[in-house]
């Protein structure tokens, strides 16, 4: 009996030694978005399986943790200390020094790797941003007020003191509220603005503010816990994903044409604006 126990114990010890290493966690942050966490986790899982195959890693080498809550994102990045993360530009700017973040790839959407933000109002009601002081401003992007103030408004307007903010997790809800006269203005990112024509709103809208070009954020890496080779390999796998037969379906789902390697210098003007607004 004792001999059998020792044999089993030995086999278990051997299995423990040869067990696959724990998956590397990738934290995915989408502040203020309407995405269902379960759906997002599933989509990210499919994406990571493609990345593993294209990058020639073992299956399940990577795992993901998704959140649309900005405080939860800060917490998870601090606790998990991921080698790679997918963040908003605002979170990258906020956390880049604390977690040694370095941009790896940017998404390309409709031929562009940058976007503009716009404030829309009912036509002929307001002529400028100044006229909206003290008025109700809605939008999903208001989950990141510091980003809106420092980057979108380039430090010229503090959203919290200038407007009465009405954050929302759904752009269509804010636009319908604007259509009904329940909001004075809505701030939209590029994709949301592009979708306006499909909503068939009763009230014609016009733009009273358009931001400068702002680079899209994609995957970032912790530069102290990853090597240049690891960053290049992960980035290359993402660059190839949208040309892969299975990966292309996921890129189409995310509305992304491609992922492209990025020079961190692209973000230097944003870093300057962020630091000046501190």
């Amino acid at each position: 009996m004792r001999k059998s126990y020792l044999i089993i114990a030995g086999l278990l010890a051997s299995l423990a030694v040869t067990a696959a290493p724990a998956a590397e966690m990738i934290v995915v942050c989408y502040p203020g978005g309407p995405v269902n966490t379960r759906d997002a986790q599933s989509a990210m899982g499919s994406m990571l399986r493609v990345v593993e195959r294209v990058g020639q890693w073992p299956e399940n080498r990577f795992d993901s943790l998704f959140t649309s809550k900005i405080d939860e994102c800060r917490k998870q990045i601090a606790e998990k200390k991921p080698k790679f993360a997918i963040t908003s530009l605002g979170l990258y700017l906020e956390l880049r020094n604390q977690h040694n973040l370095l941009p790896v790839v940017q998404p390309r959407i409709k031929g562009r790797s940058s976007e503009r933000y716009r404030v829309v109002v009912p036509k002929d009601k307001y002529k400028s941003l100044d006229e909206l002081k003290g008025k109700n401003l809605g939008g999903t992007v208001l989950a990141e007020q510091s980003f809106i103030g420092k980057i979108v408004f380039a430090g010229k307007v503090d959203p919290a003191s200038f407007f009465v903010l009405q954050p929302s997790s759904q752009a269509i809800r804010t636009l319908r509220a604007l259509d009904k006269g329940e909001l004075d203005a809505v701030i939209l990112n590029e994709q949301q603005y592009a979708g306006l024509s499909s909503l068939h709103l009763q009230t014609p809208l016009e733009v009273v503010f358009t931001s400068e070009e702002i680079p899209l954020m994609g995957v970032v890496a912790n530069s102290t816990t990853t090597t240049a080779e690891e960053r290049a390999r992960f980035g290359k796998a993402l660059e190839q994903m949208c040309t892969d037969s299975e990966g292309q379906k996921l890129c189409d789902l995310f509305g992304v044409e491609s992922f492209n390697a990025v020079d961190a210098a692209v973000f230097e003007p944003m870093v300057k604006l962020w630091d000046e607004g501190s």
Side-chain angles (χ1 to χ4, degrees), residues 31-92:
V35 180
N36 178 279
T37 298
R38 181 178 296 178
D39 292 344
Q41 284 287 122
S42 176
M44 280 304 305
S46 299
M47 175 179 168
L48 291 176
R49 300 297 79 79
V50 174
V51 168
E52 289 162 351
R53 176 167 52 77
V54 172
Q56 298 183 339
W57 282 287
E59 190 174 0
N60 297 317
R61 166 69 178 270
F62 301 106
D63 196 3
S64 64
L65 187 153
F66 174 88
T67 179
S68 60
K69 298 176 181 177
I70 195 165
D71 288 337
E72 182 67 14
C73 185
R74 294 185 184 110
K75 176 184 175 184
Q76 293 300 336
I77 288 180
E79 291 182 356
K80 305 294 184 185
K81 296 179 171 55
K83 286 186 174 183
F84 297 97
I86 299 175
T87 71
S88 65
L89 177 57
L91 278 167
Y92 161 70

Side-chain angles (χ1 to χ4, degrees), residues 10-228:
L11 286 170
L12 290 174
S14 175
L15 286 172
V17 170
T18 59
E24 292 182 21
M25 184 62 66
I26 295 175
V27 175
V28 182
C29 304
Y30 186 44
V35 180
N36 178 279
T37 298
R38 181 178 296 178
D39 292 344
Q41 284 287 122
S42 176
M44 280 304 305
S46 299
M47 175 179 168
L48 291 176
R49 300 297 79 79
V50 174
V51 168
E52 289 162 351
R53 176 167 52 77
V54 172
Q56 298 183 339
W57 282 287
E59 190 174 0
N60 297 317
R61 166 69 178 270
F62 301 106
D63 196 3
S64 64
L65 187 153
F66 174 88
T67 179
S68 60
K69 298 176 181 177
I70 195 165
D71 288 337
E72 182 67 14
C73 185
R74 294 185 184 110
K75 176 184 175 184
Q76 293 300 336
I77 288 180
E79 291 182 356
K80 305 294 184 185
K81 296 179 171 55
K83 286 186 174 183
F84 297 97
I86 299 175
T87 71
S88 65
L89 177 57
L91 278 167
Y92 161 70
L93 292 168
E94 176 189 336
L95 303 176
R96 71 189 191 284
N97 292 328
Q98 183 181 351
H99 297 292
N100 306 295
L101 301 181
L102 187 69
V104 177
V105 296
Q106 281 183 288
R108 189 170 183 83
I109 299 173
K110 294 186 177 179
R112 301 170 57 196
S113 292
S114 64
E115 64 177 335
R116 294 182 187 270
Y117 287 70
R118 296 170 177 85
V119 175
V120 297
V121 298
K123 189 173 176 60
D124 298 327
K125 189 169 184 180
Y126 303 102
K127 294 301 181 184
S128 69
L129 201 62
D130 290 339
E131 293 185 18
L132 289 172
K133 188 171 185 178
K135 304 297 184 181
N136 291 305
L137 176 70
T140 64
V141 298
L142 295 175
E144 295 187 272
Q145 291 179 31
S146 293
F147 170 73
I148 297 302
K150 295 179 182 181
I151 304 301
V152 175
F153 292 136
K156 297 173 183 176
V157 172
D158 172 39
S161 60
F162 191 88
F163 305 102
V164 177
L165 298 179
Q166 304 289 340
S168 173
S169 63
Q170 294 186 1
I172 191 169
R173 182 178 296 170
T174 62
L175 288 165
R176 284 175 176 164
L178 180 64
D179 197 34
K180 295 175 183 177
E182 297 168 356
L183 288 174
D184 298 298
V186 170
I187 183 167
L188 303 170
N189 62 25
E190 193 77 42
Q191 287 179 291
Q192 292 167 347
Y193 180 72
L196 269 181
S197 60
S198 66
L199 297 181
H200 306 295
L201 300 174
Q202 297 298 311
T203 305
L205 302 179
E206 64 182 337
V207 176
V208 293
F209 169 83
T210 302
S211 74
E212 297 296 326
E213 291 280 348
I214 296 173
L216 294 172
M217 192 73 251
V219 175
V220 298
N222 185 316
S223 61
T224 62
T225 59
T226 59
T227 64

